[in-house]
Amino acid sequence: MVSDQMMLKSCVAHCQNTFNDIREMASTVASSGAKDELNKALGSIDACIKQCQAALTKLG
């Protein structure tokens, strides 16, 4: 059985990969409006990663 801690670590890793993908898109997209929205998404996913890491610390 997969533990909550292992599932959360996997989720954080997936979110970090998504963060990197969005950051790469934001750096290459031509539209300034799209770039702004992607940068907002980066802020949101970064906050999510930090909160999940805090939860992981509390589980450990």
Side-chain angles (χ1 to χ4, degrees):
M1 180 176 222
V2 178
S3 71
D4 290 340
Q5 192 173 25
M6 288 179 68
M7 287 179 63
L8 192 50
K9 283 181 181 180
S10 175
C11 183
V12 167
H14 178 73
C15 288
Q16 287 171 327
N17 287 334
T18 301
F19 178 92
N20 291 334
D21 290 343
I22 294 170
R23 183 177 56 197
E24 186 175 333
M25 282 188 286
S27 72
T28 61
V29 71
S31 166
S32 63
K35 186 178 295 236
D36 289 343
E37 292 302 319
L38 289 168
N39 283 322
K40 288 178 193 176
L42 285 173
S44 296
I45 198 164
D46 185 53
C48 179
I49 290 168
K50 287 177 180 168
Q51 288 174 306
C52 288
Q53 287 171 329
L56 187 57
T57 299
K58 291 179 181 187
L59 281 174

